[in-house]
PDB file of all heavy atoms in Angstrom:
ATOM      1  N   LEU Z  71     -44.716  37.760  61.133  1.00 97.00           N
ATOM      2  CA  LEU Z  71     -45.291  36.422  61.232  1.00 97.00           C
ATOM      3  C   LEU Z  71     -45.518  36.093  62.700  1.00 97.00           C
ATOM      4  O   LEU Z  71     -44.791  35.319  63.317  1.00 97.00           O
ATOM      5  CB  LEU Z  71     -44.352  35.388  60.588  1.00 97.00           C
ATOM      6  CG  LEU Z  71     -43.966  35.660  59.124  1.00 97.00           C
ATOM      7  CD1 LEU Z  71     -42.860  34.718  58.679  1.00 97.00           C
ATOM      8  CD2 LEU Z  71     -45.198  35.522  58.234  1.00 97.00           C
ATOM      9  N   GLY Z  72     -46.553  36.708  63.285  1.00 97.00           N
ATOM     10  CA  GLY Z  72     -46.840  36.472  64.700  1.00 97.00           C
ATOM     11  C   GLY Z  72     -45.731  36.946  65.613  1.00 97.00           C
ATOM     12  O   GLY Z  72     -45.458  36.311  66.640  1.00 97.00           O
ATOM     13  N   GLY Z  73     -45.088  38.059  65.269  1.00 98.00           N
ATOM     14  CA  GLY Z  73     -43.985  38.592  66.063  1.00 98.00           C
ATOM     15  C   GLY Z  73     -42.622  38.253  65.494  1.00 98.00           C
ATOM     16  O   GLY Z  73     -41.622  38.856  65.887  1.00 98.00           O
ATOM     17  N   PHE Z  74     -42.570  37.278  64.573  1.00 98.00           N
ATOM     18  CA  PHE Z  74     -41.305  36.883  63.956  1.00 98.00           C
ATOM     19  C   PHE Z  74     -41.133  37.576  62.602  1.00 98.00           C
ATOM     20  O   PHE Z  74     -42.097  37.854  61.905  1.00 98.00           O
ATOM     21  CB  PHE Z  74     -41.246  35.368  63.754  1.00 98.00           C
ATOM     22  CG  PHE Z  74     -41.090  34.587  65.024  1.00 98.00           C
ATOM     23  CD1 PHE Z  74     -42.204  34.113  65.689  1.00 98.00           C
ATOM     24  CD2 PHE Z  74     -39.830  34.341  65.557  1.00 98.00           C
ATOM     25  CE1 PHE Z  74     -42.074  33.388  66.866  1.00 98.00           C
ATOM     26  CE2 PHE Z  74     -39.692  33.627  66.739  1.00 98.00           C
ATOM     27  CZ  PHE Z  74     -40.815  33.144  67.395  1.00 98.00           C
ATOM     28  N   MET Z  75     -39.879  37.815  62.231  1.00 98.00           N
ATOM     29  CA  MET Z  75     -39.562  38.388  60.934  1.00 98.00           C
ATOM     30  C   MET Z  75     -38.237  37.828  60.453  1.00 98.00           C
ATOM     31  O   MET Z  75     -37.294  37.671  61.232  1.00 98.00           O
ATOM     32  CB  MET Z  75     -39.465  39.916  61.008  1.00 98.00           C
ATOM     33  CG  MET Z  75     -39.214  40.582  59.674  1.00 98.00           C
ATOM     34  SD  MET Z  75     -39.202  42.393  59.799  1.00 98.00           S
ATOM     35  CE  MET Z  75     -38.994  42.843  58.073  1.00 98.00           C
ATOM     36  N   LEU Z  76     -38.176  37.507  59.163  1.00 98.00           N
ATOM     37  CA  LEU Z  76     -36.958  36.991  58.547  1.00 98.00           C
ATOM     38  C   LEU Z  76     -36.428  38.003  57.536  1.00 98.00           C
ATOM     39  O   LEU Z  76     -37.202  38.682  56.857  1.00 98.00           O
ATOM     40  CB  LEU Z  76     -37.223  35.663  57.835  1.00 98.00           C
ATOM     41  CG  LEU Z  76     -37.712  34.505  58.689  1.00 98.00           C
ATOM     42  CD1 LEU Z  76     -38.037  33.295  57.806  1.00 98.00           C
ATOM     43  CD2 LEU Z  76     -36.668  34.119  59.736  1.00 98.00           C
ATOM     44  N   ARG Z  77     -35.101  38.100  57.437  1.00 98.00           N
ATOM     45  CA  ARG Z  77     -34.452  38.911  56.410  1.00 98.00           C
ATOM     46  C   ARG Z  77     -33.350  38.066  55.771  1.00 98.00           C
ATOM     47  O   ARG Z  77     -32.654  37.322  56.465  1.00 98.00           O
ATOM     48  CB  ARG Z  77     -33.843  40.190  56.997  1.00 98.00           C
ATOM     49  CG  ARG Z  77     -34.826  41.095  57.729  1.00 98.00           C
ATOM     50  CD  ARG Z  77     -34.116  42.356  58.217  1.00 98.00           C
ATOM     51  NE  ARG Z  77     -34.855  43.036  59.253  1.00 98.00           N
ATOM     52  CZ  ARG Z  77     -35.695  44.054  59.038  1.00 98.00           C
ATOM     53  NH1 ARG Z  77     -35.889  44.481  57.810  1.00 98.00           N
ATOM     54  NH2 ARG Z  77     -36.334  44.633  60.036  1.00 98.00           N
ATOM     55  N   ALA Z  78     -33.209  38.183  54.455  1.00 98.00           N
ATOM     56  CA  ALA Z  78     -32.185  37.425  53.744  1.00 98.00           C
ATOM     57  C   ALA Z  78     -31.555  38.294  52.677  1.00 98.00           C
ATOM     58  O   ALA Z  78     -32.198  39.199  52.132  1.00 98.00           O
ATOM     59  CB  ALA Z  78     -32.791  36.172  53.115  1.00 98.00           C
ATOM     60  N   VAL Z  79     -30.281  38.032  52.355  1.00 98.00           N
ATOM     61  CA  VAL Z  79     -29.582  38.787  51.321  1.00 98.00           C
ATOM     62  C   VAL Z  79     -28.707  37.852  50.505  1.00 98.00           C
ATOM     63  O   VAL Z  79     -28.119  36.896  51.028  1.00 98.00           O
ATOM     64  CB  VAL Z  79     -28.713  39.909  51.945  1.00 98.00           C
ATOM     65  CG1 VAL Z  79     -27.622  39.337  52.833  1.00 98.00           C
ATOM     66  CG2 VAL Z  79     -28.092  40.787  50.864  1.00 98.00           C
ATOM     67  N   TYR Z  80     -28.668  38.108  49.201  1.00 98.00           N
ATOM     68  CA  TYR Z  80     -27.721  37.442  48.311  1.00 98.00           C
ATOM     69  C   TYR Z  80     -27.119  38.520  47.423  1.00 98.00           C
ATOM     70  O   TYR Z  80     -27.822  39.135  46.618  1.00 98.00           O
ATOM     71  CB  TYR Z  80     -28.386  36.370  47.444  1.00 98.00           C
ATOM     72  CG  TYR Z  80     -27.398  35.643  46.549  1.00 98.00           C
ATOM     73  CD1 TYR Z  80     -26.785  34.482  46.988  1.00 98.00           C
ATOM     74  CD2 TYR Z  80     -27.066  36.150  45.299  1.00 98.00           C
ATOM     75  CE1 TYR Z  80     -25.864  33.821  46.192  1.00 98.00           C
ATOM     76  CE2 TYR Z  80     -26.141  35.507  44.490  1.00 98.00           C
ATOM     77  CZ  TYR Z  80     -25.541  34.341  44.940  1.00 98.00           C
ATOM     78  OH  TYR Z  80     -24.614  33.696  44.151  1.00 98.00           O
ATOM     79  N   SER Z  81     -25.820  38.769  47.606  1.00 97.00           N
ATOM     80  CA  SER Z  81     -25.122  39.778  46.822  1.00 97.00           C
ATOM     81  C   SER Z  81     -24.242  39.081  45.792  1.00 97.00           C
ATOM     82  O   SER Z  81     -23.543  38.115  46.110  1.00 97.00           O
ATOM     83  CB  SER Z  81     -24.259  40.650  47.737  1.00 97.00           C
ATOM     84  OG  SER Z  81     -23.347  41.422  46.992  1.00 97.00           O
ATOM     85  N   PHE Z  82     -24.274  39.591  44.556  1.00 94.00           N
ATOM     86  CA  PHE Z  82     -23.476  38.988  43.498  1.00 94.00           C
ATOM     87  C   PHE Z  82     -22.015  39.409  43.551  1.00 94.00           C
ATOM     88  O   PHE Z  82     -21.201  38.932  42.765  1.00 94.00           O
ATOM     89  CB  PHE Z  82     -24.081  39.334  42.134  1.00 94.00           C
ATOM     90  CG  PHE Z  82     -25.365  38.608  41.870  1.00 94.00           C
ATOM     91  CD1 PHE Z  82     -26.574  39.133  42.313  1.00 94.00           C
ATOM     92  CD2 PHE Z  82     -25.373  37.405  41.203  1.00 94.00           C
ATOM     93  CE1 PHE Z  82     -27.764  38.468  42.091  1.00 94.00           C
ATOM     94  CE2 PHE Z  82     -26.559  36.728  40.972  1.00 94.00           C
ATOM     95  CZ  PHE Z  82     -27.763  37.259  41.410  1.00 94.00           C
ATOM     96  N   GLY Z  83     -21.673  40.312  44.467  1.00 89.00           N
ATOM     97  CA  GLY Z  83     -20.278  40.656  44.692  1.00 89.00           C
ATOM     98  C   GLY Z  83     -19.698  41.609  43.677  1.00 89.00           C
ATOM     99  O   GLY Z  83     -20.379  42.469  43.125  1.00 89.00           O
ATOM    100  N   ASN Z  84     -18.414  41.408  43.378  1.00 88.00           N
ATOM    101  CA  ASN Z  84     -17.668  42.366  42.574  1.00 88.00           C
ATOM    102  C   ASN Z  84     -17.896  42.212  41.081  1.00 88.00           C
ATOM    103  O   ASN Z  84     -17.448  43.051  40.296  1.00 88.00           O
ATOM    104  CB  ASN Z  84     -16.165  42.235  42.867  1.00 88.00           C
ATOM    105  CG  ASN Z  84     -15.851  42.462  44.336  1.00 88.00           C
ATOM    106  OD1 ASN Z  84     -16.597  43.131  45.043  1.00 88.00           O
ATOM    107  ND2 ASN Z  84     -14.750  41.900  44.803  1.00 88.00           N
ATOM    108  N   GLY Z  85     -18.535  41.135  40.664  1.00 85.00           N
ATOM    109  CA  GLY Z  85     -18.806  40.931  39.239  1.00 85.00           C
ATOM    110  C   GLY Z  85     -17.561  40.703  38.414  1.00 85.00           C
ATOM    111  O   GLY Z  85     -17.513  41.069  37.229  1.00 85.00           O
ATOM    112  N   SER Z  86     -16.529  40.105  38.994  1.00 88.00           N
ATOM    113  CA  SER Z  86     -15.278  39.882  38.277  1.00 88.00           C
ATOM    114  C   SER Z  86     -15.463  38.828  37.178  1.00 88.00           C
ATOM    115  O   SER Z  86     -16.182  37.843  37.351  1.00 88.00           O
ATOM    116  CB  SER Z  86     -14.187  39.423  39.246  1.00 88.00           C
ATOM    117  OG  SER Z  86     -12.993  39.089  38.559  1.00 88.00           O
ATOM    118  N   THR Z  87     -14.805  39.052  36.051  1.00 91.00           N
ATOM    119  CA  THR Z  87     -14.845  38.085  34.944  1.00 91.00           C
ATOM    120  C   THR Z  87     -13.654  37.136  34.980  1.00 91.00           C
ATOM    121  O   THR Z  87     -13.543  36.234  34.159  1.00 91.00           O
ATOM    122  CB  THR Z  87     -14.861  38.824  33.593  1.00 91.00           C
ATOM    123  OG1 THR Z  87     -13.703  39.669  33.500  1.00 91.00           O
ATOM    124  CG2 THR Z  87     -16.124  39.660  33.460  1.00 91.00           C
ATOM    125  N   THR Z  88     -12.752  37.366  35.933  1.00 93.00           N
ATOM    126  CA  THR Z  88     -11.598  36.482  36.098  1.00 93.00           C
ATOM    127  C   THR Z  88     -11.625  35.900  37.509  1.00 93.00           C
ATOM    128  O   THR Z  88     -12.144  36.526  38.441  1.00 93.00           O
ATOM    129  CB  THR Z  88     -10.284  37.248  35.884  1.00 93.00           C
ATOM    130  OG1 THR Z  88     -10.206  38.329  36.829  1.00 93.00           O
ATOM    131  CG2 THR Z  88     -10.218  37.798  34.469  1.00 93.00           C
ATOM    132  N   PRO Z  89     -11.063  34.711  37.706  1.00 95.00           N
ATOM    133  CA  PRO Z  89     -11.075  34.086  39.030  1.00 95.00           C
ATOM    134  C   PRO Z  89     -10.373  34.948  40.065  1.00 95.00           C
ATOM    135  O   PRO Z  89      -9.372  35.607  39.751  1.00 95.00           O
ATOM    136  CB  PRO Z  89     -10.334  32.770  38.799  1.00 95.00           C
ATOM    137  CG  PRO Z  89     -10.490  32.492  37.336  1.00 95.00           C
ATOM    138  CD  PRO Z  89     -10.448  33.841  36.683  1.00 95.00           C
ATOM    139  N   PRO Z  90     -10.882  34.985  41.299  1.00 96.00           N
ATOM    140  CA  PRO Z  90     -12.119  34.302  41.734  1.00 96.00           C
ATOM    141  C   PRO Z  90     -13.362  35.119  41.376  1.00 96.00           C
ATOM    142  O   PRO Z  90     -13.511  36.254  41.831  1.00 96.00           O
ATOM    143  CB  PRO Z  90     -11.948  34.207  43.245  1.00 96.00           C
ATOM    144  CG  PRO Z  90     -11.089  35.391  43.607  1.00 96.00           C
ATOM    145  CD  PRO Z  90     -10.189  35.625  42.433  1.00 96.00           C
ATOM    146  N   LYS Z  91     -14.232  34.558  40.583  1.00 94.00           N
ATOM    147  CA  LYS Z  91     -15.412  35.272  40.116  1.00 94.00           C
ATOM    148  C   LYS Z  91     -16.432  35.523  41.211  1.00 94.00           C
ATOM    149  O   LYS Z  91     -17.322  36.360  41.056  1.00 94.00           O
ATOM    150  CB  LYS Z  91     -16.062  34.501  38.965  1.00 94.00           C
ATOM    151  CG  LYS Z  91     -15.187  34.389  37.723  1.00 94.00           C
ATOM    152  CD  LYS Z  91     -15.900  33.671  36.604  1.00 94.00           C
ATOM    153  CE  LYS Z  91     -15.015  33.588  35.361  1.00 94.00           C
ATOM    154  NZ  LYS Z  91     -15.701  32.901  34.232  1.00 94.00           N
ATOM    155  N   ASP Z  92     -16.312  34.797  42.325  1.00 95.00           N
ATOM    156  CA  ASP Z  92     -17.263  34.982  43.423  1.00 95.00           C
ATOM    157  C   ASP Z  92     -16.764  35.960  44.479  1.00 95.00           C
ATOM    158  O   ASP Z  92     -17.386  36.117  45.536  1.00 95.00           O
ATOM    159  CB  ASP Z  92     -17.586  33.640  44.085  1.00 95.00           C
ATOM    160  CG  ASP Z  92     -16.353  32.968  44.695  1.00 95.00           C
ATOM    161  OD1 ASP Z  92     -15.225  33.495  44.512  1.00 95.00           O
ATOM    162  OD2 ASP Z  92     -16.504  31.918  45.351  1.00 95.00           O
ATOM    163  N   ALA Z  93     -15.661  36.657  44.240  1.00 95.00           N
ATOM    164  CA  ALA Z  93     -15.115  37.594  45.230  1.00 95.00           C
ATOM    165  C   ALA Z  93     -16.136  38.671  45.580  1.00 95.00           C
ATOM    166  O   ALA Z  93     -16.738  39.280  44.700  1.00 95.00           O
ATOM    167  CB  ALA Z  93     -13.840  38.234  44.706  1.00 95.00           C
ATOM    168  N   GLY Z  94     -16.349  38.885  46.865  1.00 95.00           N
ATOM    169  CA  GLY Z  94     -17.289  39.892  47.332  1.00 95.00           C
ATOM    170  C   GLY Z  94     -18.709  39.400  47.484  1.00 95.00           C
ATOM    171  O   GLY Z  94     -19.567  40.144  47.980  1.00 95.00           O
ATOM    172  N   ARG Z  95     -18.996  38.184  47.098  1.00 97.00           N
ATOM    173  CA  ARG Z  95     -20.368  37.668  47.212  1.00 97.00           C
ATOM    174  C   ARG Z  95     -20.746  37.511  48.677  1.00 97.00           C
ATOM    175  O   ARG Z  95     -20.011  36.935  49.469  1.00 97.00           O
ATOM    176  CB  ARG Z  95     -20.484  36.314  46.517  1.00 97.00           C
ATOM    177  CG  ARG Z  95     -21.916  35.776  46.463  1.00 97.00           C
ATOM    178  CD  ARG Z  95     -21.936  34.336  45.956  1.00 97.00           C
ATOM    179  NE  ARG Z  95     -21.350  33.439  46.943  1.00 97.00           N
ATOM    180  CZ  ARG Z  95     -20.991  32.177  46.663  1.00 97.00           C
ATOM    181  NH1 ARG Z  95     -21.082  31.710  45.432  1.00 97.00           N
ATOM    182  NH2 ARG Z  95     -20.481  31.410  47.616  1.00 97.00           N
ATOM    183  N   ILE Z  96     -21.911  38.051  49.049  1.00 98.00           N
ATOM    184  CA  ILE Z  96     -22.405  37.966  50.427  1.00 98.00           C
ATOM    185  C   ILE Z  96     -23.712  37.188  50.457  1.00 98.00           C
ATOM    186  O   ILE Z  96     -24.611  37.438  49.649  1.00 98.00           O
ATOM    187  CB  ILE Z  96     -22.626  39.368  51.026  1.00 98.00           C
ATOM    188  CG1 ILE Z  96     -21.295  40.113  51.170  1.00 98.00           C
ATOM    189  CG2 ILE Z  96     -23.323  39.271  52.390  1.00 98.00           C
ATOM    190  CD1 ILE Z  96     -21.433  41.530  51.704  1.00 98.00           C
ATOM    191  N   VAL Z  97     -23.794  36.245  51.368  1.00 98.00           N
ATOM    192  CA  VAL Z  97     -25.023  35.499  51.619  1.00 98.00           C
ATOM    193  C   VAL Z  97     -25.323  35.626  53.106  1.00 98.00           C
ATOM    194  O   VAL Z  97     -24.423  35.420  53.942  1.00 98.00           O
ATOM    195  CB  VAL Z  97     -24.886  34.016  51.228  1.00 98.00           C
ATOM    196  CG1 VAL Z  97     -26.178  33.262  51.526  1.00 98.00           C
ATOM    197  CG2 VAL Z  97     -24.519  33.878  49.761  1.00 98.00           C
ATOM    198  N   GLY Z  98     -26.545  35.984  53.467  1.00 98.00           N
ATOM    199  CA  GLY Z  98     -26.845  36.173  54.875  1.00 98.00           C
ATOM    200  C   GLY Z  98     -28.305  36.009  55.220  1.00 98.00           C
ATOM    201  O   GLY Z  98     -29.184  36.091  54.356  1.00 98.00           O
ATOM    202  N   LEU Z  99     -28.571  35.782  56.501  1.00 98.00           N
ATOM    203  CA  LEU Z  99     -29.922  35.548  57.000  1.00 98.00           C
ATOM    204  C   LEU Z  99     -30.020  36.039  58.437  1.00 98.00           C
ATOM    205  O   LEU Z  99     -29.049  35.969  59.198  1.00 98.00           O
ATOM    206  CB  LEU Z  99     -30.240  34.047  56.950  1.00 98.00           C
ATOM    207  CG  LEU Z  99     -31.643  33.603  57.382  1.00 98.00           C
ATOM    208  CD1 LEU Z  99     -32.674  34.067  56.357  1.00 98.00           C
ATOM    209  CD2 LEU Z  99     -31.689  32.087  57.535  1.00 98.00           C
ATOM    210  N   SER Z 100     -31.183  36.562  58.794  1.00 98.00           N
ATOM    211  CA  SER Z 100     -31.431  36.934  60.189  1.00 98.00           C
ATOM    212  C   SER Z 100     -32.841  36.552  60.573  1.00 98.00           C
ATOM    213  O   SER Z 100     -33.727  36.437  59.720  1.00 98.00           O
ATOM    214  CB  SER Z 100     -31.222  38.439  60.416  1.00 98.00           C
ATOM    215  OG  SER Z 100     -32.256  39.192  59.804  1.00 98.00           O
ATOM    216  N   GLY Z 101     -33.041  36.380  61.865  1.00 98.00           N
ATOM    217  CA  GLY Z 101     -34.366  36.156  62.428  1.00 98.00           C
ATOM    218  C   GLY Z 101     -34.584  37.127  63.565  1.00 98.00           C
ATOM    219  O   GLY Z 101     -33.681  37.343  64.390  1.00 98.00           O
ATOM    220  N   GLU Z 102     -35.769  37.735  63.610  1.00 98.00           N
ATOM    221  CA  GLU Z 102     -36.091  38.719  64.643  1.00 98.00           C
ATOM    222  C   GLU Z 102     -37.411  38.364  65.304  1.00 98.00           C
ATOM    223  O   GLU Z 102     -38.311  37.816  64.664  1.00 98.00           O
ATOM    224  CB  GLU Z 102     -36.182  40.120  64.025  1.00 98.00           C
ATOM    225  CG  GLU Z 102     -34.938  40.561  63.279  1.00 98.00           C
ATOM    226  CD  GLU Z 102     -35.160  41.830  62.476  1.00 98.00           C
ATOM    227  OE1 GLU Z 102     -36.184  42.512  62.721  1.00 98.00           O
ATOM    228  OE2 GLU Z 102     -34.339  42.138  61.594  1.00 98.00           O
ATOM    229  N   TYR Z 103     -37.501  38.698  66.584  1.00 98.00           N
ATOM    230  CA  TYR Z 103     -38.742  38.464  67.315  1.00 98.00           C
ATOM    231  C   TYR Z 103     -39.057  39.696  68.148  1.00 98.00           C
ATOM    232  O   TYR Z 103     -38.198  40.233  68.849  1.00 98.00           O
ATOM    233  CB  TYR Z 103     -38.617  37.250  68.239  1.00 98.00           C
ATOM    234  CG  TYR Z 103     -39.857  37.010  69.080  1.00 98.00           C
ATOM    235  CD1 TYR Z 103     -41.034  36.546  68.501  1.00 98.00           C
ATOM    236  CD2 TYR Z 103     -39.842  37.274  70.451  1.00 98.00           C
ATOM    237  CE1 TYR Z 103     -42.172  36.333  69.265  1.00 98.00           C
ATOM    238  CE2 TYR Z 103     -40.973  37.060  71.224  1.00 98.00           C
ATOM    239  CZ  TYR Z 103     -42.132  36.599  70.623  1.00 98.00           C
ATOM    240  OH  TYR Z 103     -43.272  36.398  71.384  1.00 98.00           O
ATOM    241  N   ARG Z 104     -40.300  40.144  68.059  1.00 98.00           N
ATOM    242  CA  ARG Z 104     -40.740  41.298  68.839  1.00 98.00           C
ATOM    243  C   ARG Z 104     -42.096  40.986  69.462  1.00 98.00           C
ATOM    244  O   ARG Z 104     -43.047  40.599  68.771  1.00 98.00           O
ATOM    245  CB  ARG Z 104     -40.842  42.547  67.968  1.00 98.00           C
ATOM    246  CG  ARG Z 104     -41.180  43.811  68.764  1.00 98.00           C
ATOM    247  CD  ARG Z 104     -41.179  45.044  67.886  1.00 98.00           C
ATOM    248  NE  ARG Z 104     -39.873  45.333  67.328  1.00 98.00           N
ATOM    249  CZ  ARG Z 104     -38.908  45.974  68.001  1.00 98.00           C
ATOM    250  NH1 ARG Z 104     -39.114  46.369  69.249  1.00 98.00           N
ATOM    251  NH2 ARG Z 104     -37.756  46.223  67.420  1.00 98.00           N
ATOM    252  N   ALA Z 105     -42.155  41.153  70.778  1.00 97.00           N
ATOM    253  CA  ALA Z 105     -43.402  40.943  71.508  1.00 97.00           C
ATOM    254  C   ALA Z 105     -43.484  41.982  72.615  1.00 97.00           C
ATOM    255  O   ALA Z 105     -42.749  41.892  73.611  1.00 97.00           O
ATOM    256  CB  ALA Z 105     -43.471  39.533  72.096  1.00 97.00           C
ATOM    257  N   GLY Z 106     -44.343  42.986  72.424  1.00 95.00           N
ATOM    258  CA  GLY Z 106     -44.469  44.043  73.425  1.00 95.00           C
ATOM    259  C   GLY Z 106     -43.146  44.748  73.632  1.00 95.00           C
ATOM    260  O   GLY Z 106     -42.547  45.264  72.676  1.00 95.00           O
ATOM    261  N   PRO Z 107     -42.621  44.762  74.866  1.00 97.00           N
ATOM    262  CA  PRO Z 107     -41.386  45.517  75.133  1.00 97.00           C
ATOM    263  C   PRO Z 107     -40.110  44.775  74.744  1.00 97.00           C
ATOM    264  O   PRO Z 107     -39.027  45.328  74.860  1.00 97.00           O
ATOM    265  CB  PRO Z 107     -41.440  45.713  76.653  1.00 97.00           C
ATOM    266  CG  PRO Z 107     -42.177  44.510  77.154  1.00 97.00           C
ATOM    267  CD  PRO Z 107     -43.219  44.215  76.099  1.00 97.00           C
ATOM    268  N   LEU Z 108     -40.215  43.533  74.288  1.00 98.00           N
ATOM    269  CA  LEU Z 108     -39.032  42.709  74.018  1.00 98.00           C
ATOM    270  C   LEU Z 108     -38.716  42.641  72.533  1.00 98.00           C
ATOM    271  O   LEU Z 108     -39.593  42.386  71.703  1.00 98.00           O
ATOM    272  CB  LEU Z 108     -39.236  41.291  74.540  1.00 98.00           C
ATOM    273  CG  LEU Z 108     -38.133  40.285  74.176  1.00 98.00           C
ATOM    274  CD1 LEU Z 108     -36.817  40.656  74.865  1.00 98.00           C
ATOM    275  CD2 LEU Z 108     -38.555  38.861  74.542  1.00 98.00           C
ATOM    276  N   PHE Z 109     -37.442  42.863  72.198  1.00 98.00           N
ATOM    277  CA  PHE Z 109     -36.919  42.570  70.867  1.00 98.00           C
ATOM    278  C   PHE Z 109     -35.714  41.661  71.015  1.00 98.00           C
ATOM    279  O   PHE Z 109     -34.868  41.861  71.898  1.00 98.00           O
ATOM    280  CB  PHE Z 109     -36.476  43.840  70.122  1.00 98.00           C
ATOM    281  CG  PHE Z 109     -35.634  43.527  68.910  1.00 98.00           C
ATOM    282  CD1 PHE Z 109     -36.243  43.175  67.717  1.00 98.00           C
ATOM    283  CD2 PHE Z 109     -34.241  43.518  68.986  1.00 98.00           C
ATOM    284  CE1 PHE Z 109     -35.481  42.839  66.603  1.00 98.00           C
ATOM    285  CE2 PHE Z 109     -33.472  43.185  67.880  1.00 98.00           C
ATOM    286  CZ  PHE Z 109     -34.107  42.845  66.686  1.00 98.00           C
ATOM    287  N   ALA Z 110     -35.599  40.656  70.147  1.00 98.00           N
ATOM    288  CA  ALA Z 110     -34.433  39.780  70.114  1.00 98.00           C
ATOM    289  C   ALA Z 110     -34.196  39.353  68.678  1.00 98.00           C
ATOM    290  O   ALA Z 110     -35.145  39.101  67.925  1.00 98.00           O
ATOM    291  CB  ALA Z 110     -34.632  38.557  71.007  1.00 98.00           C
TER     292      ALA Z 110
END
């Protein structure tokens, strides 16, 4: 997107049927920018 890029993840985790049912769940986001010789 004009040098920008987004990445996102949603992991359902361990799939446990007993509490805590959300164990291992990962939620994440990143933003990247690249212009010529520069990456950030």
